[in-house]
Amino acid sequence: MLPQHLKQIRVLMLNEKENLERTLFRLEQGFELQFRLGPSLQGRKVMVHTNYPLEGQPFQRHNFHVLEWNYPSGKDDDSDKFCSLNLKIAGSYQYYFGYTERSGGGYIVVDPVLCVGADNHVLPLDCITIQTYLSKCLGHLDDWPDRLRVAKESGYNMIHFTPLQTLGESRSCYSLADQLAVNPDFIPEGQSYSWVDVGALVEKLRKEWNMLCITDVVYNHTAANSVWIREHPECGYNLVNSPHLRPAWVLDRALWHLTTRVAEGRYKAKGLPADITNDSHLNAIRTVLRQDLFPEIKLWEFYQVKVESAVEQFRILLQNGSKPDHSKTGGKPGLKIVQDPQFHRYGNTVDMDSALETFCGTHFSTCTPCCLYDQAANCIVGNVVYERLADHGPKLGPVNRKNPLVTRYFTFPYQDMTLEQELQLLDQPDKSCHFLAHNGWVMGDDPLRNFAEPGSNVYLRRELICWGDSVKLRYGNGPEDCPYLWAHMQKYTEITAKYFHGVRLDNCHSTPLHVAEFMLDVARAVCPNLYVVAELFTGSEELDNIFVTKLGIASLIREAMSAGDSHEEGRLVYRYGGEPVGAFVQPSLRPLMPSIAHAMFLDVTHDNECPIQLRSALDSLPSSAIVSMACCATGSTRGYDELVPHQISVVKEERFYPKWNPAAPATSASEVGFHTGIIAGKLALNKLHQELAAQGFIQVYVDQVDADIVAITRHCPSTHQSVVAVCRTAFKDPKTHQYDTNVPPMFIPGKIEEVILEARTVDRHAGTYKKDDGYINGMPEYTVEIKEHIPLQDSTVVKQAGVTSKGRSEFVQEITFQKLTPGSVIAFRVSLDPKAQKLVGVLRHYLSQFSPKYRRGSTADENPPELCVFHRLMSKLTLADLNVLLFRCDSEEQEDGGGCYNIPGWETLKYAGLQGLMSVLADIRPNNDLGHPVCANLRQGDWLIDFVSNRLVNREGPLAQVGQWLGAMFNYMKHIPRYLIPCYFDAILVSTYTTALDAAYKLMSRNVLSLCPVSCVELDASLPSLPSLDTFIALRGLMLLTGRHTEARNIILAFAGTLRHGLIPNLLGEGRCARYNCRDALWWWLQCIQDYATHIPQGHEILNCLVTRMYPTDDCEPRKPGEVEQPLYDVIQEALQRHLEGISFRERNAGPKIDMNMRDEGFSVAAKVDPATGFISGGNRFNCGTWMDKMGESEKARNKGMPATPRDGAAVEIVGLSKSAVRWVVELHAKGLFPYDGTKIHRDGKEVFVSYSQWNQQLQQSFEAAFWVSGDPKDPNEKHPDLVHKKGIYKDSYGASSPWCDYQLRPNFTIAMVVAPELFTVERAWKALDVAEKKLLGPLGMKTLDPDDMVYCGVYDNALDNDNYNLAKGFNYHQGPEWLWPVGYFLRAKLYFAKKLGQETYGQTVNLVKNVLSRHYTHLERSPWRGLPELTNENGQYCKFSCETQAWSLATVLEVLYDL
């Protein structure tokens, strides 16, 4: 088993309703596949099912089992749980998932592992070089080694045999008469060879020649003369089991009889002779069909009703008063004709319900069926045009019985008879069961539809391009439908899989999928690492994927012959394999990405037309070279390398392949050797192809030098060696086409080590080609002139090579050519210049301390820098240092005279620290988006590189040392070619970044959960600039729960020192311009003290800590540090006492200096305890003393100076926070930890003592009576029943100056539920939370106002200035936009009260919470800020006026995770 850091792990994220059955996921054996839950599934009891077999169990396609979830964090946490498969078996495997029902699914394909040689060494799929042989041309089995040796000596390592079974009458390689018997042509007279002998030869080739063998399996048809199909006609589509073909058979027989009559000249008088040569003859065919043939066979009768019978039946129904069955007709008129399933003439019937609905007893008219004659006539004439007139057709000549007018669609195993006699056989099942439909293919048809099944009119329309030698096989839905056929083909499959290493699925796109699935399962049971290849003609990659995924096809055959020019041929190389040169290093654990099917790229297939006829003989070598440079399996067909100048027909060819003889003369037809055709060149190219794949040259670059020259680079990302092949194609014959003699020079970066090969196709004057009668011979006039592994100066193709240098890393060789003639190839081995090679090795050496994947190609540094052990260096950093290293936004950097880096022509990075780049690179890396502006910037210069290191070097201490380390690594990197800079820059940053994250985690508590804890590092930067309220809301989540207790304590005490008027300031203003204009900050501060004392062991000791008071009295000037000190408990006591006494003052410097928008009345601050209820009450309609603090700014809309949400009176969250604080001090006093049990105040001119216990009880008794909105008009507690528009909620405030504001539904009551749950009755709380969930909960945040409210607006636009009072200048900031931080309190409240309602409710709530949090997790992963925003617009839409990452948004989410 591989070490975890080397094991390749792919992660597939599951999302609800995501069906990926048409998406290809390819994996290798030894990989681990992890399934994880996407946001839409988190919080649900999802089960993942798969048919990948359990350890030691056989694969059964329809046997699924449930995968167990793994919990890395040790608890039921959906954010990181996964289930996995350790992939050890090749094949296609299905998975699906769901919670109540199936929700999605797909397939994975695991590649086979192929082994060759006596030592069973692995042959990677990309190393494959395959050659196809027509088996019937190999002769006797004893002669095969001599003929197959041609493949071995030409450098191939795999042979593809066309079927080796007994052939049918046509002698087509793919028309098999007996699928179970070896072709008797292979067995010499007097010998008795069997499959065992074939298997022995295959094994000999594997062990001794290091060659694998595959062969075709043909499931779709059998030869028309197969003995077994006559004995078992149910295995084909006949007129008994497929009566829908009866009309097509009648037409087919009529066309056959037309053939005989045309051949006899009986239609000459009508302009239709036997020899069809022009358009007038074609028109005559149409006339004969329309006037003679179609009327004679009356096909329409198969689709018509017997009118008399139908009318009589209808008349009787009317007489009986019958009514239509509306459940069948839907009450809609429209006559329906029911097709006779047996297709008898006049066998159709009328649906009488539709007749009654339509005609209602008035009249009846017949319905004329749709006529298919025109379509059939068009196809018949089109077929004649191709076979007899077209230049690219076979030119069959005069019509006769051997070459009929059109190919017959059905077998007719009886003696000749008249058409009338034949038609009588239709109703004789013992005869008509032997009329079997031929197979073929349909242009542009749906490959997933079986064109022979009912519902298809392919045979009747004559749309089938028919193979008249083969019968289409009818499998039905499973073995029970045709037992003999399934058993027969299963045995055929088992024989093939037993003796061969792989199969080619012939006619794959027309083979029923369920049949191919079954047979391949059988084959893999015999040969687990079966190599499955296929050629698909679906015309769609998506449709291709259906076959590839369901069948586990390892390689799809792709044809270089599909390219019309060299540019397209080069594009195919790039398309079918490899990654771009300079691609990023991918982590071992990464998302599972869709892929295209692995290609088997062939310069020619045995079905292609001859390339020499379509292009030129000279193009064979360069096109082969282009194919050989592809990073996938490659291959050819026997005859191509020998320059056979015609197509070797799979049907008509009966000659033998020549044998191998290294000394074969040029004129020999029976033997071939190294000098035959391009064999010597192909050997060199095949060796090069295998070497490139085996040594990891996985990166590809294709350069179209000019119209005929293609340069292909294969690059090894470990050693940075390259091979550059320059191929000059010759699509046109140089003898008839004038090629440009000026070949452009090439610039090759790096040092050319050698010329691997240079080869040209040359004329050797050995006579001209003459087709041999006994052997498949090639053109003797051409051979290959080749040199291998020579110094550059010995090249005859290269004229000169000059060395140029463009800077320290641009070592370039300029190549000019003298003999790169059409048909030439030259391949260079290139390495980096020596200095760059050494420095990249040193850089890889240092990177290998982070990942062993860099060890290959690494070299130790002779003079290592002092700071070489990076982990030790990183351990010295504090969280504050890490914040500088990782984060800091533009404004923070500007304070130090810097800023974030701007990518010219693109945008500015979000952070100056590493996260700014890592967020961008995270999107670039998986897709190898080397064209991204960041990559372009890195290639063009060192500006960004220097920025990263210099901003740290200029600091002090360990950060400067980190900068120096980065600078040292970057200095190595700067000496390598610029095209490699993005890759290594990313590698250095990833190494630094991941190490920094590890260091950050170690400085935090175990409570730092999986929800992007890195953002917790940011709090140091964000706190000083945050308002006090935001700081206090964020403190528990980002400080206490993450273990940063000292920082939390310092913040609490620092703010304690700013107390004045019994309040904590909203904005510090460096302590000298502080504004004491918020009523809630004090209570949030007290909640923080309580959380600190509760959460931290001995946390109550903070109460005795001395606080340096800045303002010991309301009106004094700021005091110096240490001048006035008092314990924290005294500061708390003062705050409580001042609220009980009552707070009322006017802000200092009131006016536009401190607030240019506020009206004069707004500068008056008031807060007090209502003696009647105990509620903290205050504010007025001109100020906003809570977190909902938007002040109107628009003069145009006349909202300037008016708060959007004054929330004066008693705000619900302040009531909850005050209850929490009072309850806590009561508990502290009881434990002797707080010296005060109450305070003296002046009330009505008297000094009275108010006990905290009494205040606590008063709040408890008053809350629900004042805040619960029952909706009952008779509720005695309800003062304004007319203002209620949502019942079953808690008011947002109590006693507002505008009473209707009290009744607005907002999320603030959930805060009170969390901090003071004792105020709420469980049932009422649950109802209110349910309303909030339905009305306020958004994808990420909570709507700040009920969407049913008349002033609701969910889109915040702070730049808008119009005359709309409710919107102008962002007036609706808290009137609908969805804020994130309240969602934490909502979810925590749900969890608390769900527990009170029982385990079932709690379980459902946990699921909801996880589902909501998953959306935050997704946003964190996708946001370039790696944070959660302040707010979103309605329904989670992006808001450009929102802060992109806010401390309290993340903090409250972390609190929810802690509660979970």
Side-chain angles (χ1 to χ4, degrees):
M1 183 176 171
L2 286 170
Q4 198 63 22
H5 58 265
L6 287 177
K7 186 173 185 179
Q8 292 294 324
I9 302 172
R10 300 294 178 268
V11 177
L12 181 57
M13 203 66 74
L14 305 178
N15 295 300
E16 190 163 18
K17 304 297 181 187
E18 190 170 61
N19 286 297
L20 300 175
E21 295 184 350
R22 297 190 175 200
T23 302
L24 173 59
F25 295 116
R26 282 183 57 218
L27 294 141
E28 297 177 30
Q29 292 180 53
F31 279 34
E32 178 184 336
L33 174 61
Q34 294 183 357
F35 297 96
R36 295 178 182 262
L37 297 182
S40 57
L41 290 173
Q42 291 197 15
R44 305 189 188 279
K45 299 294 184 184
V46 177
M47 290 193 292
V48 181
H49 305 252
T50 181
N51 60 2
Y52 185 88
L54 293 166
E55 189 81 37
Q57 298 293 315
F59 171 67
Q60 297 289 335
R61 183 169 294 275
H62 302 292
N63 285 0
F64 287 80
H65 59 93
V66 177
L67 296 177
E68 290 187 13
W69 290 107
N70 297 295
Y71 299 93
S73 59
K75 48 180 174 282
D76 187 359
D77 182 0
D78 284 3
S79 65
D80 68 347
K81 77 177 183 182
F82 67 90
C83 51
S84 63
L85 290 172
N86 285 304
L87 303 171
K88 302 175 183 176
I89 311 168
S92 159
Y93 303 103
Q94 190 177 1
Y95 70 90
Y96 69 88
F97 58 89
Y99 42 99
T100 54
E101 57 186 25
R102 182 166 173 161
S103 181
Y107 289 83
I108 58 167
V109 175
V110 182
D111 288 338
V113 174
L114 306 178
C115 298
V116 294
D119 59 349
N120 278 325
H121 62 271
V122 173
L123 175 66
L125 298 189
D126 288 344
C127 278
I128 290 171
T129 49
I130 190 171
Q131 189 174 45
T132 294
Y133 279 76
L134 305 189
S135 300
K136 67 178 182 178
C137 298
L138 284 167
H140 293 152
L141 194 61
D142 297 340
D143 294 329
W144 283 26
D146 290 335
R147 293 196 165 99
L148 296 177
R149 183 171 285 277
V150 176
K152 177 182 184 297
E153 301 299 336
S154 301
Y156 295 97
N157 54 27
M158 184 177 283
I159 291 174
H160 162 226
F161 295 99
T162 60
L164 284 73
Q165 286 78 10
T166 305
L167 301 180
E169 285 179 330
S170 69
R171 298 286 296 163
S172 166
C173 292
Y174 290 93
S175 181
L176 308 184
D178 186 351
Q179 286 76 9
L180 307 183
V182 177
N183 189 339
D185 294 352
F186 304 152
I187 306 171
E189 193 173 342
Q191 297 286 340
S192 178
Y193 289 152
S194 68
W195 288 113
V196 173
D197 300 290
V198 173
L201 175 60
V202 168
E203 184 63 9
K204 171 186 169 72
L205 298 185
R206 188 187 77 81
K207 282 189 173 179
E208 297 179 15
W209 290 10
N210 292 337
M211 299 183 78
L212 297 179
C213 298
I214 71 170
T215 187
D216 291 277
V217 283
V218 186
Y219 294 126
N220 215 20
H221 54 257
T222 190
N225 65 315
S226 295
V227 173
W228 63 268
I229 197 73
R230 294 178 190 165
E231 296 171 354
H232 294 277
E234 76 279 4
C235 297
Y237 289 88
N238 61 51
L239 305 192
V240 176
N241 62 23
S242 304
H244 64 285
L245 295 176
R246 285 160 60 97
W249 179 83
V250 171
L251 176 58
D252 191 58
R253 295 311 301 162
L255 289 169
W256 168 252
H257 285 278
L258 176 62
T259 287
T260 61
R261 294 197 290 268
V262 170
E264 293 166 2
R266 290 160 62 180
Y267 283 98
K268 244 183 180 179
K270 291 198 174 189
L272 179 55
D275 194 7
I276 298 169
T277 57
N278 56 50
D279 287 347
S280 68
H281 296 158
L282 300 177
N283 291 331
I285 293 175
R286 291 184 184 276
T287 301
V288 169
L289 290 174
R290 186 170 61 254
Q291 295 180 357
D292 296 1
L293 188 140
F294 290 152
E296 180 184 8
I297 57 179
K298 301 177 182 177
L299 291 184
W300 60 81
E301 293 179 351
F302 290 100
Y303 300 94
Q304 283 198 329
V305 174
K306 195 167 185 178
V307 176
E308 296 81 2
S309 301
V311 170
E312 179 62 19
Q313 184 183 359
F314 185 62
R315 186 182 64 78
I316 293 170
L317 289 172
L318 290 177
Q319 287 177 344
N320 294 338
S322 300
K323 301 294 182 185
D325 184 344
H326 296 301
S327 66
K328 295 179 180 178
T329 65
K332 297 177 182 177
L335 191 67
K336 293 180 183 175
I337 304 298
V338 180
Q339 177 63 51
D340 172 23
Q342 296 305 312
F343 281 78
H344 293 104
R345 292 182 188 270
Y346 295 110
N348 287 9
T349 56
V350 175
D351 177 80
M352 287 301 162
D353 285 300
S354 72
L356 290 168
E357 190 77 63
T358 302
F359 298 107
C360 301
T362 56
H363 71 282
F364 182 87
S365 64
T366 60
C367 179
T368 304
C370 176
C371 183
L372 302 173
Y373 292 157
D374 287 343
Q375 294 96 319
N378 288 339
C379 291
I380 290 166
V381 172
N383 197 278
V384 172
V385 169
Y386 170 71
E387 292 187 341
R388 290 182 159 79
L389 274 68
D391 291 335
H392 62 284
K395 299 274 182 94
L396 294 180
V399 173
N400 53 43
R401 285 175 172 264
K402 182 180 179 184
N403 296 309
L405 183 68
V406 288
T407 305
R408 291 198 286 185
Y409 274 12
F410 295 87
T411 62
F412 188 79
Y414 303 111
Q415 296 296 319
D416 288 349
M417 56 183 81
T418 65
L419 179 59
E420 292 74 14
Q421 291 171 324
E422 289 175 2
L423 295 181
Q424 292 174 11
L425 302 178
L426 266 178
D427 299 316
Q428 300 178 34
D430 59 324
K431 298 286 195 299
S432 61
C433 71
H434 292 288
F435 302 149
L436 298 165
H438 289 305
N439 196 22
W441 65 284
V442 183
M443 186 82 72
D445 195 33
D446 179 0
L448 300 178
R449 181 187 74 147
N450 188 333
F451 57 75
E453 292 288 343
S456 167
N457 286 316
V458 163
Y459 284 87
L460 184 59
R461 291 171 181 258
R462 303 295 296 187
E463 294 172 335
L464 184 70
I465 299 167
C466 184
W467 303 324
D469 59 348
S470 299
V471 167
K472 186 170 181 62
L473 296 174
R474 180 179 179 272
Y475 288 88
N477 294 323
E480 65 281 358
D481 288 343
C482 195
Y484 179 85
L485 178 60
W486 286 81
H488 181 77
M489 289 303 192
Q490 178 172 343
K491 192 170 183 182
Y492 163 48
T493 301
E494 288 168 344
I495 291 171
T496 305
K498 182 176 181 180
Y499 296 112
F500 290 89
H501 309 112
V503 295
R504 174 185 175 272
L505 294 171
D506 178 60
N507 202 23
C508 179
H509 56 282
S510 292
T511 303
L513 267 172
H514 67 288
V515 174
E517 282 180 327
F518 177 90
M519 298 303 168
L520 287 178
D521 291 348
V522 167
R524 289 190 175 103
V526 176
C527 177
N529 278 299
L530 188 77
Y531 182 48
V532 180
V533 300
E535 194 165 13
L536 292 171
F537 299 99
T538 67
S540 158
E541 187 175 299
E542 185 182 27
L543 286 178
D544 282 356
N545 283 348
I546 294 175
F547 290 88
V548 174
T549 57
K550 291 195 172 187
L551 304 181
I553 296 172
S555 300
L556 273 188
I557 295 170
R558 307 293 192 179
E559 304 172 355
M561 287 299 296
S562 67
D565 54 35
S566 63
H567 177 78
E568 175 63 13
E569 202 161 53
R571 191 194 69 81
L572 294 177
V573 171
Y574 185 79
R575 170 69 176 152
Y576 292 142
E579 54 187 34
V581 173
F584 292 91
V585 177
Q586 303 295 339
S588 300
L589 188 155
R590 59 181 184 267
L592 179 63
M593 303 293 284
S595 61
I596 64 168
H598 182 258
M600 175 178 279
F601 193 28
L602 305 182
D603 48 31
V604 68
T605 73
H606 59 294
D607 291 323
N608 288 146
E609 295 179 71
C610 175
I612 294 175
Q613 293 175 332
L614 293 176
R615 300 178 181 176
S616 76
L618 267 64
D619 186 66
S620 300
L621 178 66
S623 280
S624 274
I626 289 172
V627 168
S628 295
M629 289 297 289
C631 188
C632 60
T634 61
S636 188
T637 295
R638 178 76 194 269
Y640 179 93
D641 299 343
E642 292 119 295
L643 301 180
V644 175
H646 59 80
Q647 184 183 26
I648 303 173
S649 171
V650 297
V651 179
K652 297 177 180 178
E653 188 61 75
E654 294 292 338
R655 295 175 299 160
F656 295 130
Y657 289 118
K659 296 180 179 179
W660 177 257
N661 178 1
T667 54
S668 173
S670 62
E671 294 179 329
V672 296
F674 287 116
H675 299 293
T676 305
I678 64 166
I679 285 179
K682 184 57 76 73
L683 170 62
L685 291 170
N686 281 338
K687 285 194 300 186
L688 177 60
H689 175 81
Q690 293 164 31
E691 174 195 324
L692 293 175
Q695 294 184 8
F697 286 71
I698 59 173
Q699 297 183 345
V700 180
Y701 174 69
V702 179
D703 180 18
Q704 186 73 35
V705 179
D706 69 10
D708 305 303
I709 300 173
V710 180
I712 302 171
T713 301
R714 290 281 296 275
H715 182 79
C716 175
S718 301
T719 63
H720 294 298
Q721 280 201 335
S722 298
V723 170
V724 182
V726 185
C727 313
R728 189 169 193 190
T729 60
F731 275 56
K732 297 175 182 176
D733 191 339
K735 293 178 181 177
T736 58
H737 176 78
Q738 184 62 45
Y739 281 88
D740 193 345
T741 55
N742 294 319
V743 178
M746 284 198 65
F747 297 89
I748 298 178
K751 179 185 177 184
I752 297 176
E753 301 284 354
E754 65 165 347
V755 174
I756 300 172
L757 67 91
E758 61 177 34
R760 297 191 306 140
T761 311
V762 294
D763 194 328
R764 60 176 168 184
H765 309 292
T768 57
Y769 172 77
K770 181 181 179 183
K771 188 173 182 178
D772 190 81
D773 293 335
Y775 294 94
I776 304 170
N777 60 320
M779 301 172 71
E781 50 262 55
Y782 294 108
T783 188
V784 167
E785 182 184 89
I786 185 169
K787 295 180 182 177
E788 295 184 74
H789 304 292
I790 59 172
L792 185 60
Q793 59 268 27
D794 291 350
S795 169
T796 55
V797 174
V798 173
K799 182 178 180 181
Q800 64 179 28
V803 177
T804 62
S805 180
K806 299 179 182 177
R808 63 193 167 197
S809 61
E810 295 299 320
F811 189 90
V812 177
Q813 292 198 245
E814 181 182 357
I815 302 294
T816 55
F817 299 100
Q818 60 182 357
K819 281 190 179 181
L820 191 68
T821 54
S824 301
V825 174
I826 185 168
F828 306 98
R829 188 180 306 281
V830 183
S831 61
L832 304 183
D833 73 272
K835 183 177 181 181
Q837 191 73 52
K838 178 182 177 182
L839 291 177
V840 78
V842 171
L843 179 56
R844 293 181 69 85
H845 171 72
Y846 288 119
L847 288 173
S848 66
Q849 67 180 294
F850 305 101
S851 172
K853 67 182 71 168
Y854 295 105
R855 284 178 189 156
R856 187 180 176 209
S858 67
T859 53
D861 193 354
E862 296 171 2
N863 301 299
E866 294 180 15
L867 306 170
C868 57
V869 184
F870 189 67
H871 294 82
R872 196 178 307 153
L873 188 62
M874 198 64 77
S875 66
K876 300 176 183 177
L877 299 183
T878 65
L879 283 171
D881 292 333
L882 286 164
N883 179 61
V884 174
L885 175 62
L886 294 170
F887 299 104
R888 286 175 59 93
C889 64
D890 199 49
S891 57
E892 290 175 287
E893 287 287 295
Q894 287 175 10
E895 290 179 3
D896 294 338
C900 292
Y901 190 85
N902 175 263
I903 306 292
W906 190 55
E907 64 181 47
T908 301
L909 298 176
K910 306 305 182 189
Y911 296 111
L914 298 183
Q915 187 63 63
L917 277 163
M918 294 305 295
S919 295
V920 180
L921 291 168
D923 293 329
I924 297 173
R925 190 184 309 110
N927 302 308
N928 277 318
D929 183 9
L930 294 170
H932 193 280
V934 169
C935 297
N937 183 273
L938 289 166
R939 286 191 294 270
Q940 290 163 4
D942 295 338
W943 314 288
L944 177 54
I945 298 167
D946 291 338
F947 172 84
V948 171
S949 57
N950 289 347
R951 71 177 284 269
L952 299 174
V953 169
N954 295 331
R955 295 184 177 274
E956 298 177 354
L959 268 179
Q961 293 180 316
V962 172
Q964 291 162 15
W965 184 89
L966 284 168
M969 297 304 108
F970 290 155
N971 281 334
Y972 295 130
M973 184 182 74
K974 289 174 183 177
H975 288 87
I976 66 178
R978 300 306 299 190
Y979 67 85
L980 293 174
I981 295 290
C983 161
Y984 278 101
F985 180 74
D986 177 65
I988 294 167
L989 257 60
V990 166
S991 302
T992 308
Y993 179 76
T994 52
T995 309
L997 291 192
D998 289 340
Y1001 296 151
K1002 289 174 182 174
L1003 294 173
M1004 296 183 187
S1005 77
R1006 287 181 297 174
N1007 294 327
V1008 178
L1009 303 173
S1010 59
L1011 193 68
C1012 197
V1014 134
S1015 298
C1016 303
V1017 179
E1018 264 188 287
L1019 192 60
D1020 277 344
S1022 56
L1023 270 179
S1025 59
L1026 284 176
S1028 60
L1029 174 69
D1030 306 34
T1031 302
F1032 301 145
I1033 293 173
L1035 188 136
R1036 179 173 183 265
L1038 295 190
M1039 290 289 187
L1040 299 181
L1041 300 186
T1042 60
R1044 301 178 65 184
H1045 301 153
T1046 302
E1047 292 99 321
R1049 172 183 170 278
N1050 292 341
I1051 290 169
I1052 289 169
L1053 295 176
F1055 273 104
T1058 65
L1059 187 80
R1060 195 177 202 179
H1061 304 293
L1063 297 174
I1064 295 291
N1066 180 26
L1067 294 170
L1068 280 171
E1070 297 180 350
R1072 297 182 178 276
C1073 305
R1075 290 192 67 186
Y1076 291 82
N1077 64 337
C1078 63
R1079 307 192 307 276
D1080 56 357
L1082 179 282
W1083 302 103
W1084 282 105
W1085 173 69
L1086 289 173
Q1087 186 65 40
C1088 285
I1089 303 172
Q1090 181 183 166
D1091 291 337
Y1092 180 93
T1094 307
H1095 187 81
I1096 298 169
Q1098 303 302 310
H1100 62 271
E1101 292 177 358
I1102 193 174
L1103 298 171
N1104 299 311
C1105 289
L1106 291 178
V1107 173
T1108 295
R1109 293 294 298 272
M1110 186 177 289
Y1111 302 106
T1113 64
D1114 290 349
D1115 299 318
C1116 69
E1117 291 300 312
R1119 297 297 177 88
K1120 295 177 182 178
E1123 189 176 339
V1124 177
E1125 292 185 331
Q1126 62 184 134
L1128 180 60
Y1129 59 74
D1130 277 344
V1131 181
I1132 295 171
Q1133 175 69 0
E1134 180 182 332
L1136 297 175
Q1137 188 273 333
R1138 293 298 299 272
H1139 277 80
L1140 283 165
E1141 188 76 55
I1143 299 168
S1144 180
F1145 64 95
R1146 183 171 172 81
E1147 286 194 74
R1148 285 163 186 79
N1149 303 312
K1153 282 186 179 179
I1154 63 170
D1155 195 324
M1156 60 185 296
N1157 293 309
M1158 186 175 281
R1159 296 191 183 188
D1160 187 69
E1161 301 95 320
F1163 293 108
S1164 296
V1165 179
K1168 64 177 182 179
V1169 176
D1170 183 345
T1173 60
F1175 301 159
I1176 304 295
S1177 185
N1180 62 53
R1181 67 189 187 93
F1182 297 106
N1183 60 28
C1184 29
T1186 72
W1187 75 275
M1188 290 184 164
D1189 56 357
K1190 179 64 180 180
M1191 179 61 71
E1193 302 172 33
S1194 174
E1195 293 180 349
K1196 188 182 292 187
R1198 299 193 176 108
N1199 65 23
K1200 185 171 181 177
M1202 296 301 295
T1205 46
R1207 303 187 69 228
D1208 55 335
V1212 66
E1213 76 275 18
I1214 297 179
V1215 174
L1217 288 162
S1218 62
K1219 173 65 168 70
S1220 175
V1222 175
R1223 181 229 312 128
W1224 179 57
V1225 297
V1226 170
E1227 292 170 353
L1228 286 175
H1229 180 73
K1231 296 176 183 176
L1233 300 175
F1234 188 76
Y1236 307 104
D1237 63 345
T1239 185
K1240 292 178 181 178
I1241 62 170
H1242 293 87
R1243 189 173 287 171
D1244 298 329
K1246 298 178 183 177
E1247 185 178 81
V1248 295
F1249 179 80
V1250 179
S1251 79
Y1252 294 141
S1253 178
Q1254 176 191 346
W1255 187 9
N1256 183 45
Q1257 291 171 10
Q1258 186 184 28
L1259 286 167
Q1260 184 71 40
Q1261 292 164 2
S1262 303
F1263 181 78
E1264 286 224 332
F1267 279 91
W1268 173 247
V1269 181
S1270 66
D1272 182 354
K1274 297 179 181 179
D1275 186 344
N1277 295 316
E1278 191 54 75
K1279 295 180 180 178
H1280 301 283
D1282 55 314
L1283 297 178
V1284 175
H1285 65 101
K1286 278 281 185 305
K1287 60 182 180 180
I1289 66 169
Y1290 287 92
K1291 295 173 188 171
D1292 187 55
S1293 57
Y1294 179 78
S1297 57
S1298 298
W1300 59 271
C1301 291
D1302 288 345
Y1303 293 86
Q1304 289 182 309
L1305 173 62
R1306 298 184 187 271
N1308 296 306
F1309 70 88
T1310 63
I1311 301 166
M1313 284 182 169
V1314 171
V1315 297
E1318 68 272 17
L1319 291 174
F1320 299 82
T1321 57
V1322 174
E1323 291 74 16
R1324 287 178 175 179
W1326 196 249
K1327 281 183 183 177
L1329 287 168
D1330 188 53
V1331 175
E1333 181 181 337
K1334 291 173 181 173
K1335 288 293 180 180
L1336 303 182
L1337 181 61
L1340 288 177
M1342 298 289 285
K1343 292 178 178 65
T1344 39
L1345 181 62
D1346 180 2
D1348 297 331
D1349 195 291
M1350 63 181 181
V1351 297
Y1352 168 85
C1353 179
V1355 178
Y1356 173 56
D1357 185 348
N1358 199 41
L1360 177 71
D1361 191 11
N1362 59 14
D1363 59 359
N1364 188 324
Y1365 182 91
N1366 294 319
L1367 292 179
K1369 289 284 187 177
F1371 195 67
N1372 64 317
Y1373 194 32
H1374 303 100
Q1375 300 282 56
E1378 297 166 10
W1379 284 67
L1380 267 76
W1381 77 266
V1383 85
Y1385 282 90
F1386 166 75
L1387 295 176
R1388 291 178 68 196
K1390 284 281 283 189
L1391 287 169
Y1392 178 87
F1393 288 104
K1395 270 187 182 176
K1396 303 285 186 183
L1397 292 168
Q1399 193 57 44
E1400 182 180 352
T1401 303
Y1402 181 69
Q1404 293 168 352
T1405 303
V1406 167
N1407 291 342
L1408 166 74
V1409 171
K1410 289 180 177 179
N1411 191 260
V1412 173
L1413 292 183
S1414 70
R1415 301 195 283 264
H1416 297 95
Y1417 186 87
T1418 301
H1419 184 92
L1420 275 165
E1421 283 194 321
R1422 295 175 181 172
S1423 166
W1425 297 87
R1426 290 302 188 269
L1428 295 176
E1430 172 190 28
L1431 59 85
T1432 71
N1433 285 334
E1434 60 188 1
N1435 301 318
Q1437 296 174 43
Y1438 172 74
C1439 176
K1440 69 177 182 179
F1441 297 97
S1442 164
C1443 176
E1444 294 279 8
T1445 178
Q1446 195 139 18
W1448 57 355
S1449 297
L1450 187 67
T1452 63
V1453 168
L1454 284 171
E1455 289 185 87
V1456 179
L1457 284 168
Y1458 181 78
D1459 286 1
L1460 277 176

